[in-house]
């Protein structure tokens, strides 16, 4: 069975930064992902990664990967099907699409990320990247003086609506109930923002547009009445789905499914570290994920030294 000191699960900005730091420290590590690069590959333009203004998501993801490769990082293009701990080492069951294999690791940096929950309505998938976005901090700047819809009623939706209100002409905040799940202070700020129009008790049925988003078709849940609202963009903020199923028997997970860990990445399971969007944190960004990758290597190095 192949062995390593650190198995890095996930090849997004957290995992690839961990790979760069491990390689520079000459720690034996391997990055496991079916396709390294991460969520950022889906972003059109990333305008908030320091020192690289306006870089495309594809270029940034590729730059993370090629930097790790340049430093000599090792990659396994596999899915991780299971992780178990036996005394002082971890066993990872891998699947490359054809066959299973196993990897033994002294420690694991778990950086598998999150998926944005989707609405699963017509037009959503086809227009993703063409007006449908899951990240206002990434894409808000494209909607200067335009009209956008934000779907959702949690902290993310309200924060995004508030952020977009400073750039867009009109923001429709569309929520399926008549009360918000978000914290009272952000609800208060949003309700006093003139260019945010709340459309409550309403669900989106379809996102319309040929080459890019032109409108959203809505249904009032009380009356059943349908209407079409013209918009230039739709921001979907209906929650995240952290990818923690395969480690939930090893480490403590919070009520939203995130691995409980602070900036050190240390989890309740010795030798298992969590980096990036998958861990409990306030602000999920490429820059905070990259910082987690570096911190986790530092924590893993201390752990390995004391084994
Ligand atoms: P969330 O709290 O799970 O809220 C998701 C929202 O989307 C809910 O309002 C939900 O409606 C709605 N929704 C879910 N599925 C939907 C569907 N199919 N169609 C229409 N609406 C749908 O997710 P989140 O806002 O991303 O927040 C996730 C976690 O991060 C939370 O714990 C949150 O507090 C935290 N967070 C904190 C901050 C902060 O600044 N402190 C910022 C962002 C996020 P219902 O309300 O009806 O369920």
């Amino acid at each position: 069975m192949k062995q390593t000191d650190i198995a890095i699960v996930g090849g997004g900005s957290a995992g690839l930064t961990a790979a760069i730091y491990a390689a520079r420290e000459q720690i034996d590590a391997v990055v496991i992902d079916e396709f390294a690069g991460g969520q950022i590959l889906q972003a059109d333009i990333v305008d908030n990664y320091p020192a690289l203004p306006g870089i495309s998501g594809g270029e940034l993801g590729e730059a993370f990967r090629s930097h790790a490769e340049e430093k000599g990082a090792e990659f396994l293009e596999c899915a991780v099907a299971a992780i178990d701990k036996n005394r002082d080492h971890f066993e990872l069951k891998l699947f490359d699409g054809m066959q299973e294999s196993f990897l033994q690791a002294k420690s694991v940096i778990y950086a598998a990320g999150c998926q944005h929950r989707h609405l699963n309505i017509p037009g959503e998938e086809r227009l993703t990247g063409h007006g449908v976005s899951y990240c206002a901090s990434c894409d808000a700047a494209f909607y200067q003086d335009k009209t956008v819809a934000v779907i959702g009623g949690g902290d993310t939706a309200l924060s995004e609506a508030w952020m977009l209100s400073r750039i867009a002409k009109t923001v429709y905040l569309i929520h399926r109930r008549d009360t918000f799940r978000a914290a009272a202070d952000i609800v208060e700020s949003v309700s006093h923002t003139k260019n945010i129009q709340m459309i409550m008790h309403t669900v989106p049925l379809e996102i319309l547009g040929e080459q890019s988003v032109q409108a959203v078709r809505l249904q009032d849940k009380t009356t059943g009445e349908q209407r079409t609202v013209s918009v230039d963009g739709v921001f979907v903020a209906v929650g995240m789905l952290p990818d923690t199923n395969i480690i939930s028997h090893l480490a403590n997970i919070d009520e939203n499914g995130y691995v409980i860990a602070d900036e050190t990445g240390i989890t309740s399971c010795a030798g298992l570290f969590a980096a990036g969007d998958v861990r409990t944190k306030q602000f999920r960004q490429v820059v905070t994920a990259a910082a987690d990758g570096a911190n986790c290597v530092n924590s893993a190095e201390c752990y390995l030294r004391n084994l």
Side-chain angles (χ1 to χ4, degrees), residues 48-88:
N48 55 6
Y49 195 76
L52 297 171
I55 191 168
S56 76
E59 276 180 290
L60 185 57
E62 190 46 49
F64 269 98
R65 186 185 167 115
S66 55
H67 190 171
E69 281 171 345
E70 219 174 83
K71 293 285 165 225
E74 189 185 344
F75 291 85
L76 282 177
E77 288 185 354
C78 295
V80 180
I83 305 179
D84 281 304
K85 192 175 184 195
N86 293 322
R87 292 173 178 273
D88 58 354

Side-chain angles (χ1 to χ4, degrees), residues 282-304:
Q282 281 291 322
F283 199 39
R284 294 188 167 83
Q285 294 284 292
V286 187
V287 70
T288 62
D292 282 2
N295 280 323
C296 275
V297 171
N298 186 49
S299 299
E301 199 178 10
C302 295
Y303 171 79
L304 291 168

Side-chain angles (χ1 to χ4, degrees), residues 117 119 152-157 175-177 181 237-239 256 282:
R117 189 179 284 136
L119 291 163
D155 284 309
T156 303
H175 181 38
R176 65 185 177 182
R177 291 188 294 125
R181 180 180 292 274
V238 295
N256 296 312
Q282 281 291 322

Side-chain angles (χ1 to χ4, degrees), residues 117-120 151-159 174-177 179-183 202-204 237-240 254-256 258 281-282 284:
R117 189 179 284 136
H118 288 198
L119 291 163
N120 297 317
I151 317 291
D155 284 309
T156 303
L158 273 82
S159 307
I174 297 159
H175 181 38
R176 65 185 177 182
R177 291 188 294 125
T179 53
F180 289 111
R181 180 180 292 274
T202 295
V203 287
V238 295
M240 300 293 291
D254 81 356
E255 66 281 8
N256 296 312
Y258 296 97
K281 58 158 70 178
Q282 281 291 322
R284 294 188 167 83

Side-chain angles (χ1 to χ4, degrees), residues 117-129:
R117 189 179 284 136
H118 288 198
L119 291 163
N120 297 317
I121 58 172
E124 182 185 22
E125 195 182 331
R126 181 174 58 82
L127 292 165
T128 293

Side-chain angles (χ1 to χ4, degrees), residues 133-196:
S133 171
Y134 297 85
C135 174
S137 350
C138 314
D139 297 332
F142 303 117
Y143 296 92
Q144 186 82 46
D145 297 324
K146 295 194 171 177
T147 299
V148 296
V150 176
I151 317 291
D155 284 309
T156 303
L158 273 82
S159 307
E160 295 205 340
W162 190 71
M163 177 195 297
L164 282 156
S165 72
R166 287 177 281 155
I167 294 163
K169 184 177 65 183
T170 305
V171 178
Y172 294 112
L173 177 60
I174 297 159
H175 181 38
R176 65 185 177 182
R177 291 188 294 125
D178 55 5
T179 53
F180 289 111
R181 180 180 292 274
D185 56 351
I186 184 75
V187 174
E188 175 85 4
S189 301
V190 162
S191 35
H192 289 105
T193 303
K194 283 199 179 117
N195 63 337
I196 299 179

